[in-house]
Short mmCIF file of all heavy atoms in Angstrom, two decimals:
data_model
loop_
_atom_site.label_atom_id
_atom_site.label_comp_id
_atom_site.label_asym_id
_atom_site.label_seq_id
_atom_site.Cartn_x
_atom_site.Cartn_y
_atom_site.Cartn_z
N MET F 1 17.34 1.10 32.38
CA MET F 1 15.89 0.95 32.29
C MET F 1 15.26 2.16 31.59
O MET F 1 14.37 1.95 30.81
CB MET F 1 15.36 0.78 33.75
CG MET F 1 13.88 0.53 33.81
SD MET F 1 13.56 -1.11 33.28
CE MET F 1 11.87 -1.25 33.60
N LYS F 2 15.77 3.31 31.90
CA LYS F 2 15.22 4.56 31.30
C LYS F 2 15.51 4.53 29.79
O LYS F 2 14.68 4.99 28.98
CB LYS F 2 15.87 5.75 31.97
CG LYS F 2 15.21 7.04 31.62
CD LYS F 2 15.79 8.17 32.44
CE LYS F 2 15.02 9.45 32.24
NZ LYS F 2 15.58 10.54 33.02
N LYS F 3 16.67 4.01 29.40
CA LYS F 3 17.07 3.95 27.99
C LYS F 3 16.14 3.03 27.22
O LYS F 3 15.70 3.34 26.10
CB LYS F 3 18.52 3.51 27.87
CG LYS F 3 19.06 3.57 26.50
CD LYS F 3 20.52 3.16 26.47
CE LYS F 3 21.11 3.20 25.10
NZ LYS F 3 22.53 2.79 25.08
N ASN F 4 15.79 1.90 27.82
CA ASN F 4 14.92 0.93 27.16
C ASN F 4 13.53 1.52 26.97
O ASN F 4 12.89 1.34 25.94
CB ASN F 4 14.83 -0.36 27.97
CG ASN F 4 16.10 -1.15 27.89
OD1 ASN F 4 16.93 -0.99 27.00
ND2 ASN F 4 16.30 -2.07 28.85
N THR F 5 13.02 2.21 27.95
CA THR F 5 11.71 2.84 27.87
C THR F 5 11.68 3.89 26.81
O THR F 5 10.71 3.97 26.04
CB THR F 5 11.34 3.45 29.23
OG1 THR F 5 11.47 2.46 30.25
CG2 THR F 5 9.94 3.97 29.24
N MET F 6 12.72 4.69 26.71
CA MET F 6 12.78 5.72 25.68
C MET F 6 12.83 5.09 24.28
O MET F 6 12.18 5.58 23.33
CB MET F 6 13.99 6.62 25.89
CG MET F 6 13.83 7.57 27.07
SD MET F 6 12.46 8.71 26.87
CE MET F 6 13.08 9.73 25.57
N LEU F 7 13.61 4.01 24.12
CA LEU F 7 13.69 3.34 22.83
C LEU F 7 12.34 2.72 22.42
O LEU F 7 11.93 2.79 21.26
CB LEU F 7 14.76 2.28 22.82
CG LEU F 7 16.21 2.76 22.80
CD1 LEU F 7 17.16 1.62 22.95
CD2 LEU F 7 16.48 3.51 21.53
N ILE F 8 11.63 2.14 23.39
CA ILE F 8 10.33 1.55 23.09
C ILE F 8 9.34 2.63 22.70
O ILE F 8 8.58 2.53 21.72
CB ILE F 8 9.81 0.76 24.31
CG1 ILE F 8 10.66 -0.52 24.46
CG2 ILE F 8 8.36 0.38 24.12
CD1 ILE F 8 10.40 -1.30 25.71
N ALA F 9 9.34 3.76 23.43
CA ALA F 9 8.46 4.85 23.13
C ALA F 9 8.75 5.44 21.73
O ALA F 9 7.85 5.74 20.96
CB ALA F 9 8.56 5.94 24.20
N LEU F 10 10.00 5.57 21.41
CA LEU F 10 10.40 6.09 20.12
C LEU F 10 9.97 5.14 19.01
O LEU F 10 9.47 5.55 17.95
CB LEU F 10 11.93 6.31 20.04
CG LEU F 10 12.48 6.89 18.78
CD1 LEU F 10 11.90 8.27 18.53
CD2 LEU F 10 13.99 6.93 18.81
N GLY F 11 10.10 3.83 19.25
CA GLY F 11 9.65 2.82 18.28
C GLY F 11 8.16 2.87 18.06
O GLY F 11 7.70 2.77 16.91
N VAL F 12 7.38 3.06 19.12
CA VAL F 12 5.95 3.14 19.01
C VAL F 12 5.53 4.41 18.20
O VAL F 12 4.71 4.33 17.31
CB VAL F 12 5.28 3.15 20.38
CG1 VAL F 12 3.81 3.49 20.31
CG2 VAL F 12 5.47 1.77 21.05
N VAL F 13 6.14 5.54 18.52
CA VAL F 13 5.82 6.77 17.82
C VAL F 13 6.23 6.66 16.35
O VAL F 13 5.45 7.06 15.47
CB VAL F 13 6.59 7.96 18.46
CG1 VAL F 13 6.50 9.20 17.58
CG2 VAL F 13 6.06 8.24 19.86
N LEU F 14 7.36 6.05 16.05
CA LEU F 14 7.79 5.89 14.64
C LEU F 14 6.85 4.95 13.91
O LEU F 14 6.46 5.22 12.76
CB LEU F 14 9.22 5.36 14.60
CG LEU F 14 9.84 5.24 13.23
CD1 LEU F 14 10.00 6.61 12.60
CD2 LEU F 14 11.24 4.60 13.37
N THR F 15 6.42 3.89 14.54
CA THR F 15 5.49 2.94 13.92
C THR F 15 4.14 3.59 13.60
O THR F 15 3.63 3.44 12.51
CB THR F 15 5.24 1.72 14.84
OG1 THR F 15 6.51 1.12 15.13
CG2 THR F 15 4.35 0.70 14.19
N VAL F 16 3.61 4.36 14.58
CA VAL F 16 2.35 5.05 14.34
C VAL F 16 2.48 6.05 13.21
O VAL F 16 1.63 6.20 12.36
CB VAL F 16 1.87 5.72 15.65
CG1 VAL F 16 0.71 6.66 15.37
CG2 VAL F 16 1.53 4.67 16.67
N PHE F 17 3.60 6.75 13.18
CA PHE F 17 3.84 7.75 12.14
C PHE F 17 3.89 7.10 10.77
O PHE F 17 3.29 7.56 9.80
CB PHE F 17 5.12 8.55 12.43
CG PHE F 17 5.47 9.50 11.31
CD1 PHE F 17 4.77 10.66 11.14
CD2 PHE F 17 6.54 9.23 10.44
CE1 PHE F 17 5.08 11.54 10.14
CE2 PHE F 17 6.85 10.10 9.45
CZ PHE F 17 6.13 11.27 9.28
N LEU F 18 4.64 6.01 10.66
CA LEU F 18 4.81 5.35 9.36
C LEU F 18 3.52 4.69 8.91
O LEU F 18 3.23 4.64 7.69
CB LEU F 18 5.93 4.32 9.43
CG LEU F 18 7.33 4.92 9.54
CD1 LEU F 18 8.34 3.80 9.69
CD2 LEU F 18 7.67 5.78 8.35
N MET F 19 2.72 4.17 9.81
CA MET F 19 1.45 3.55 9.43
C MET F 19 0.43 4.58 9.00
O MET F 19 -0.46 4.31 8.22
CB MET F 19 0.91 2.69 10.55
CG MET F 19 1.72 1.45 10.81
SD MET F 19 1.05 0.43 12.07
CE MET F 19 -0.34 -0.25 11.22
N GLY F 20 0.57 5.82 9.51
CA GLY F 20 -0.35 6.85 9.18
C GLY F 20 -0.06 7.55 7.86
O GLY F 20 -0.86 8.32 7.36
N CYS F 21 1.09 7.28 7.30
CA CYS F 21 1.50 7.91 6.04
C CYS F 21 0.90 7.16 4.86
O CYS F 21 1.45 6.12 4.42
CB CYS F 21 3.00 7.98 5.90
SG CYS F 21 3.76 9.08 7.06
N ASP F 22 -0.19 7.58 4.33
CA ASP F 22 -0.84 6.99 3.16
C ASP F 22 -0.51 7.74 1.91
O ASP F 22 -0.97 7.39 0.84
CB ASP F 22 -2.33 6.85 3.35
CG ASP F 22 -2.72 5.86 4.40
OD1 ASP F 22 -1.91 4.94 4.66
OD2 ASP F 22 -3.80 5.98 4.99
N LYS F 23 0.22 8.80 2.04
CA LYS F 23 0.49 9.67 0.92
C LYS F 23 1.49 8.95 -0.05
O LYS F 23 2.50 8.43 0.40
CB LYS F 23 1.10 11.00 1.41
CG LYS F 23 1.12 12.05 0.34
CD LYS F 23 1.50 13.41 0.90
CE LYS F 23 1.34 14.45 -0.10
NZ LYS F 23 1.67 15.78 0.45
N GLU F 24 1.16 8.99 -1.29
CA GLU F 24 1.99 8.34 -2.30
C GLU F 24 3.10 9.31 -2.73
O GLU F 24 2.86 10.45 -2.99
CB GLU F 24 1.10 7.96 -3.50
CG GLU F 24 1.78 7.12 -4.53
CD GLU F 24 0.81 6.74 -5.64
OE1 GLU F 24 -0.14 7.49 -5.88
OE2 GLU F 24 0.99 5.68 -6.23
N SER F 25 4.29 8.76 -2.81
CA SER F 25 5.42 9.64 -3.22
C SER F 25 5.31 9.94 -4.72
O SER F 25 4.63 9.25 -5.47
CB SER F 25 6.74 8.96 -2.89
OG SER F 25 6.97 7.88 -3.78
N GLU F 26 6.00 10.99 -5.12
CA GLU F 26 5.97 11.39 -6.52
C GLU F 26 6.56 10.32 -7.43
O GLU F 26 6.10 10.07 -8.54
CB GLU F 26 6.71 12.72 -6.70
CG GLU F 26 6.01 13.92 -6.08
CD GLU F 26 4.69 14.19 -6.76
OE1 GLU F 26 4.57 14.10 -8.00
OE2 GLU F 26 3.72 14.51 -6.02
N LEU F 27 7.59 9.66 -6.96
CA LEU F 27 8.25 8.61 -7.75
C LEU F 27 7.29 7.43 -7.95
O LEU F 27 7.13 6.94 -9.10
CB LEU F 27 9.52 8.12 -7.05
CG LEU F 27 10.28 6.99 -7.73
CD1 LEU F 27 10.75 7.48 -9.11
CD2 LEU F 27 11.44 6.56 -6.93
N GLU F 28 6.60 7.01 -6.88
CA GLU F 28 5.64 5.92 -7.04
C GLU F 28 4.49 6.29 -7.98
O GLU F 28 4.02 5.48 -8.78
CB GLU F 28 5.07 5.54 -5.68
CG GLU F 28 6.12 4.86 -4.77
CD GLU F 28 5.60 4.67 -3.37
OE1 GLU F 28 4.63 5.35 -2.96
OE2 GLU F 28 6.17 3.83 -2.67
N LYS F 29 4.06 7.54 -7.86
CA LYS F 29 2.96 8.01 -8.73
C LYS F 29 3.39 8.02 -10.20
O LYS F 29 2.65 7.56 -11.05
CB LYS F 29 2.55 9.41 -8.26
CG LYS F 29 1.33 9.96 -8.92
CD LYS F 29 0.97 11.31 -8.34
CE LYS F 29 -0.27 11.87 -8.95
NZ LYS F 29 -0.61 13.18 -8.38
N THR F 30 4.60 8.50 -10.45
CA THR F 30 5.12 8.52 -11.81
C THR F 30 5.29 7.13 -12.37
O THR F 30 4.97 6.86 -13.53
CB THR F 30 6.48 9.27 -11.85
OG1 THR F 30 6.29 10.56 -11.28
CG2 THR F 30 6.97 9.40 -13.25
N MET F 31 5.78 6.20 -11.54
CA MET F 31 5.96 4.83 -12.01
C MET F 31 4.62 4.17 -12.31
O MET F 31 4.47 3.46 -13.34
CB MET F 31 6.72 4.01 -10.91
CG MET F 31 8.15 4.37 -10.80
SD MET F 31 9.02 3.58 -9.42
CE MET F 31 8.54 1.91 -9.53
N ARG F 32 3.63 4.42 -11.48
CA ARG F 32 2.29 3.81 -11.73
C ARG F 32 1.66 4.36 -13.00
O ARG F 32 1.15 3.64 -13.82
CB ARG F 32 1.39 4.07 -10.53
CG ARG F 32 -0.01 3.47 -10.67
CD ARG F 32 -0.88 3.71 -9.45
NE ARG F 32 -0.82 5.07 -8.92
CZ ARG F 32 -1.53 6.09 -9.39
NH1 ARG F 32 -2.32 5.92 -10.43
NH2 ARG F 32 -1.41 7.29 -8.84
N GLU F 33 1.78 5.70 -13.20
CA GLU F 33 1.20 6.32 -14.40
C GLU F 33 1.97 5.85 -15.65
O GLU F 33 1.33 5.64 -16.68
CB GLU F 33 1.26 7.83 -14.27
CG GLU F 33 0.29 8.40 -13.27
CD GLU F 33 0.47 9.87 -13.05
OE1 GLU F 33 1.42 10.45 -13.60
OE2 GLU F 33 -0.34 10.45 -12.31
N GLY F 34 3.27 5.66 -15.55
CA GLY F 34 4.06 5.16 -16.64
C GLY F 34 3.68 3.76 -17.03
O GLY F 34 3.56 3.42 -18.23
N ALA F 35 3.40 2.91 -16.05
CA ALA F 35 3.02 1.53 -16.34
C ALA F 35 1.62 1.48 -16.99
O ALA F 35 1.40 0.71 -17.93
CB ALA F 35 3.00 0.73 -15.03
N GLU F 36 0.71 2.33 -16.55
CA GLU F 36 -0.62 2.40 -17.14
C GLU F 36 -0.53 2.87 -18.61
O GLU F 36 -1.20 2.32 -19.47
CB GLU F 36 -1.52 3.30 -16.34
CG GLU F 36 -1.91 2.78 -14.97
CD GLU F 36 -2.66 3.77 -14.14
OE1 GLU F 36 -2.90 4.91 -14.59
OE2 GLU F 36 -3.02 3.41 -12.99
N THR F 37 0.31 3.88 -18.84
CA THR F 37 0.49 4.37 -20.22
C THR F 37 1.06 3.31 -21.10
O THR F 37 0.64 3.17 -22.25
CB THR F 37 1.38 5.64 -20.22
OG1 THR F 37 0.82 6.59 -19.33
CG2 THR F 37 1.49 6.21 -21.61
N SER F 38 2.06 2.57 -20.60
CA SER F 38 2.65 1.52 -21.38
C SER F 38 1.62 0.42 -21.77
O SER F 38 1.63 -0.06 -22.90
CB SER F 38 3.80 0.85 -20.63
OG SER F 38 4.82 1.77 -20.42
N LYS F 39 0.76 0.07 -20.81
CA LYS F 39 -0.23 -0.94 -21.08
C LYS F 39 -1.24 -0.45 -22.13
O LYS F 39 -1.63 -1.18 -23.03
CB LYS F 39 -1.00 -1.28 -19.80
CG LYS F 39 -0.21 -2.14 -18.87
CD LYS F 39 -1.01 -2.47 -17.65
CE LYS F 39 -0.22 -3.29 -16.66
NZ LYS F 39 -0.99 -3.56 -15.42
N GLN F 40 -1.61 0.85 -22.06
CA GLN F 40 -2.52 1.37 -23.04
C GLN F 40 -1.93 1.42 -24.46
O GLN F 40 -2.56 1.08 -25.42
CB GLN F 40 -3.00 2.80 -22.62
CG GLN F 40 -3.89 2.78 -21.44
CD GLN F 40 -4.24 4.21 -20.97
OE1 GLN F 40 -3.67 5.17 -21.47
NE2 GLN F 40 -5.11 4.32 -20.03
N MET F 41 -0.64 1.81 -24.52
CA MET F 41 0.01 1.91 -25.81
C MET F 41 0.24 0.52 -26.42
O MET F 41 0.19 0.34 -27.62
CB MET F 41 1.33 2.65 -25.70
CG MET F 41 1.14 4.14 -25.36
SD MET F 41 2.68 5.01 -25.20
CE MET F 41 3.19 5.06 -26.92
N ALA F 42 0.51 -0.47 -25.57
CA ALA F 42 0.74 -1.83 -26.06
C ALA F 42 -0.56 -2.54 -26.37
O ALA F 42 -0.57 -3.57 -27.08
CB ALA F 42 1.52 -2.64 -25.01
N GLY F 43 -1.65 -2.06 -25.85
CA GLY F 43 -2.95 -2.68 -26.14
C GLY F 43 -3.19 -3.91 -25.28
O GLY F 43 -3.99 -4.76 -25.65
N THR F 44 -2.48 -4.03 -24.16
CA THR F 44 -2.65 -5.21 -23.33
C THR F 44 -3.84 -5.08 -22.34
O THR F 44 -4.13 -5.99 -21.63
CB THR F 44 -1.39 -5.47 -22.50
OG1 THR F 44 -1.10 -4.31 -21.74
CG2 THR F 44 -0.24 -5.84 -23.37
N ASN F 45 -4.52 -3.92 -22.34
CA ASN F 45 -5.64 -3.75 -21.43
C ASN F 45 -6.94 -4.21 -22.04
O ASN F 45 -7.98 -4.10 -21.45
CB ASN F 45 -5.73 -2.31 -20.96
CG ASN F 45 -5.88 -1.34 -22.10
OD1 ASN F 45 -5.78 -1.71 -23.25
ND2 ASN F 45 -6.14 -0.08 -21.79
N ARG F 46 -6.91 -4.71 -23.27
CA ARG F 46 -8.13 -5.21 -23.90
C ARG F 46 -8.39 -6.65 -23.47
O ARG F 46 -7.46 -7.42 -23.24
CB ARG F 46 -7.97 -5.17 -25.44
CG ARG F 46 -8.05 -3.74 -25.99
CD ARG F 46 -7.92 -3.75 -27.47
NE ARG F 46 -6.50 -3.66 -27.75
CZ ARG F 46 -5.91 -4.12 -28.81
NH1 ARG F 46 -6.57 -4.74 -29.73
NH2 ARG F 46 -4.62 -3.97 -29.00
N PRO F 47 -9.63 -7.06 -23.40
CA PRO F 47 -9.91 -8.44 -23.02
C PRO F 47 -9.52 -9.42 -24.13
O PRO F 47 -9.55 -9.10 -25.31
CB PRO F 47 -11.43 -8.46 -22.81
CG PRO F 47 -11.94 -7.30 -23.58
CD PRO F 47 -10.85 -6.28 -23.58
N ILE F 48 -9.08 -10.58 -23.73
CA ILE F 48 -8.64 -11.62 -24.69
C ILE F 48 -9.89 -12.30 -25.23
O ILE F 48 -10.70 -12.83 -24.45
CB ILE F 48 -7.72 -12.59 -24.01
CG1 ILE F 48 -6.49 -11.85 -23.48
CG2 ILE F 48 -7.35 -13.73 -24.96
CD1 ILE F 48 -5.58 -12.72 -22.61
N PRO F 49 -10.03 -12.35 -26.56
CA PRO F 49 -11.21 -13.03 -27.10
C PRO F 49 -11.07 -14.56 -26.94
O PRO F 49 -10.02 -15.14 -27.18
CB PRO F 49 -11.21 -12.66 -28.59
CG PRO F 49 -9.79 -12.30 -28.89
CD PRO F 49 -9.22 -11.74 -27.61
N VAL F 50 -12.16 -15.17 -26.46
CA VAL F 50 -12.14 -16.64 -26.26
C VAL F 50 -13.17 -17.20 -27.22
O VAL F 50 -14.36 -16.92 -27.10
CB VAL F 50 -12.51 -16.97 -24.80
CG1 VAL F 50 -12.54 -18.47 -24.59
CG2 VAL F 50 -11.54 -16.32 -23.83
N PRO F 51 -12.72 -18.02 -28.15
CA PRO F 51 -13.68 -18.62 -29.11
C PRO F 51 -14.56 -19.69 -28.44
O PRO F 51 -14.12 -20.39 -27.53
CB PRO F 51 -12.79 -19.25 -30.18
CG PRO F 51 -11.53 -19.53 -29.49
CD PRO F 51 -11.38 -18.48 -28.45
N ASN F 52 -15.77 -19.77 -28.90
CA ASN F 52 -16.69 -20.79 -28.41
C ASN F 52 -16.65 -21.96 -29.38
O ASN F 52 -17.23 -21.93 -30.47
CB ASN F 52 -18.10 -20.20 -28.33
CG ASN F 52 -19.06 -21.14 -27.69
OD1 ASN F 52 -18.67 -22.22 -27.18
ND2 ASN F 52 -20.36 -20.87 -27.72
N LEU F 53 -15.91 -23.01 -29.03
CA LEU F 53 -15.76 -24.16 -29.89
C LEU F 53 -16.84 -25.19 -29.63
O LEU F 53 -17.03 -25.63 -28.52
CB LEU F 53 -14.36 -24.77 -29.68
CG LEU F 53 -13.18 -23.85 -29.95
CD1 LEU F 53 -11.88 -24.57 -29.55
CD2 LEU F 53 -13.15 -23.43 -31.38
N GLU F 54 -17.52 -25.55 -30.71
CA GLU F 54 -18.58 -26.55 -30.62
C GLU F 54 -18.18 -27.70 -31.51
O GLU F 54 -17.52 -27.51 -32.55
CB GLU F 54 -19.90 -25.96 -31.03
CG GLU F 54 -20.38 -24.85 -30.12
CD GLU F 54 -21.71 -24.25 -30.59
OE1 GLU F 54 -22.26 -24.75 -31.59
OE2 GLU F 54 -22.14 -23.31 -29.96
N PRO F 55 -18.61 -28.92 -31.19
CA PRO F 55 -18.28 -30.04 -32.06
C PRO F 55 -19.02 -29.96 -33.40
O PRO F 55 -20.08 -29.34 -33.49
CB PRO F 55 -18.76 -31.27 -31.26
CG PRO F 55 -19.73 -30.72 -30.26
CD PRO F 55 -19.32 -29.32 -29.99
N ASP F 56 -18.41 -30.53 -34.44
CA ASP F 56 -19.02 -30.52 -35.76
C ASP F 56 -20.34 -31.27 -35.76
O ASP F 56 -21.30 -30.86 -36.38
CB ASP F 56 -18.06 -31.12 -36.79
CG ASP F 56 -16.81 -30.26 -36.99
OD1 ASP F 56 -16.91 -29.03 -36.66
OD2 ASP F 56 -15.79 -30.76 -37.40
N ASN F 57 -20.34 -32.43 -35.16
CA ASN F 57 -21.54 -33.26 -35.12
C ASN F 57 -22.06 -33.36 -33.70
O ASN F 57 -21.23 -33.39 -32.75
CB ASN F 57 -21.24 -34.67 -35.65
CG ASN F 57 -20.80 -34.64 -37.10
OD1 ASN F 57 -21.28 -33.83 -37.86
ND2 ASN F 57 -19.86 -35.50 -37.46
N PRO F 58 -23.31 -33.44 -33.49
CA PRO F 58 -23.80 -33.61 -32.12
C PRO F 58 -23.35 -34.92 -31.56
O PRO F 58 -23.17 -35.90 -32.27
CB PRO F 58 -25.33 -33.53 -32.25
CG PRO F 58 -25.64 -33.56 -33.69
CD PRO F 58 -24.36 -33.34 -34.47
N GLN F 59 -23.12 -34.99 -30.28
CA GLN F 59 -22.69 -36.20 -29.63
C GLN F 59 -23.82 -37.23 -29.63
O GLN F 59 -24.95 -36.87 -29.38
CB GLN F 59 -22.26 -35.89 -28.19
CG GLN F 59 -21.10 -34.97 -28.08
CD GLN F 59 -19.79 -35.60 -28.57
OE1 GLN F 59 -19.62 -36.81 -28.42
NE2 GLN F 59 -18.94 -34.83 -29.17
N PRO F 60 -23.51 -38.47 -29.96
CA PRO F 60 -24.55 -39.51 -29.95
C PRO F 60 -25.00 -39.77 -28.51
O PRO F 60 -24.23 -39.74 -27.56
CB PRO F 60 -23.88 -40.77 -30.57
CG PRO F 60 -22.44 -40.53 -30.36
CD PRO F 60 -22.22 -39.04 -30.35
N LYS F 61 -26.30 -40.07 -28.36
CA LYS F 61 -26.86 -40.36 -27.06
C LYS F 61 -26.53 -41.83 -26.72
O LYS F 61 -26.71 -42.69 -27.54
CB LYS F 61 -28.36 -40.14 -27.02
CG LYS F 61 -28.70 -38.69 -27.21
CD LYS F 61 -30.19 -38.49 -27.08
CE LYS F 61 -30.49 -37.02 -27.30
NZ LYS F 61 -31.94 -36.78 -27.19
N ARG F 62 -26.04 -42.02 -25.52
CA ARG F 62 -25.73 -43.38 -25.11
C ARG F 62 -26.93 -44.03 -24.47
O ARG F 62 -27.71 -43.42 -23.77
CB ARG F 62 -24.59 -43.38 -24.08
CG ARG F 62 -23.26 -42.88 -24.67
CD ARG F 62 -22.14 -43.10 -23.75
NE ARG F 62 -22.16 -42.12 -22.68
CZ ARG F 62 -21.34 -42.11 -21.63
NH1 ARG F 62 -20.48 -43.07 -21.48
NH2 ARG F 62 -21.40 -41.18 -20.71
N LYS F 63 -27.06 -45.33 -24.71
CA LYS F 63 -28.14 -46.10 -24.09
C LYS F 63 -27.57 -46.75 -22.84
O LYS F 63 -26.52 -47.39 -22.93
CB LYS F 63 -28.66 -47.15 -25.04
CG LYS F 63 -29.35 -46.60 -26.25
CD LYS F 63 -29.88 -47.67 -27.12
CE LYS F 63 -30.56 -47.09 -28.33
NZ LYS F 63 -31.04 -48.11 -29.26
N GLU F 64 -28.22 -46.57 -21.75
CA GLU F 64 -27.76 -47.19 -20.50
C GLU F 64 -28.66 -48.25 -20.02
O GLU F 64 -29.78 -48.31 -20.21
CB GLU F 64 -27.58 -46.11 -19.42
CG GLU F 64 -26.47 -45.15 -19.77
CD GLU F 64 -26.27 -44.15 -18.64
OE1 GLU F 64 -26.58 -44.43 -17.51
OE2 GLU F 64 -25.75 -43.06 -18.98
#
């Protein structure tokens, strides 16, 4: 019984510790910055132009 209680307490402490770690590791930071640099160099961060297509002739009005 004492062993189970100690394991549960250790699990709770570990969970609280891991949830409180919001610090980003150096590897994650380098990977994120590298991805941003790649996007800037490739030019993929620019918006995609969408043409406004209109019909050549106006649509005829239907009689109902």
Side-chain angles (χ1 to χ4, degrees):
M1 184 72 174
K2 191 174 187 181
K3 186 177 180 181
N4 289 341
T5 307
M6 288 298 291
L7 286 175
I8 290 172
L10 182 62
V12 169
V13 169
L14 185 63
T15 303
V16 170
F17 176 72
L18 290 176
M19 290 182 74
C21 292
D22 290 336
K23 193 171 187 179
E24 188 177 29
S25 71
E26 290 296 320
L27 178 62
E28 291 172 339
K29 188 176 182 181
T30 305
M31 287 172 49
R32 182 178 44 82
E33 289 173 355
E36 290 173 0
T37 304
S38 295
K39 285 180 183 178
Q40 288 175 353
M41 292 179 73
T44 57
N45 58 352
R46 287 181 270 152
I48 299 171
V50 179
N52 186 9
L53 300 175
E54 297 179 2
D56 293 337
N57 298 325
Q59 298 290 327
K61 295 183 181 179
R62 293 191 283 174
K63 294 181 181 177
E64 294 183 24

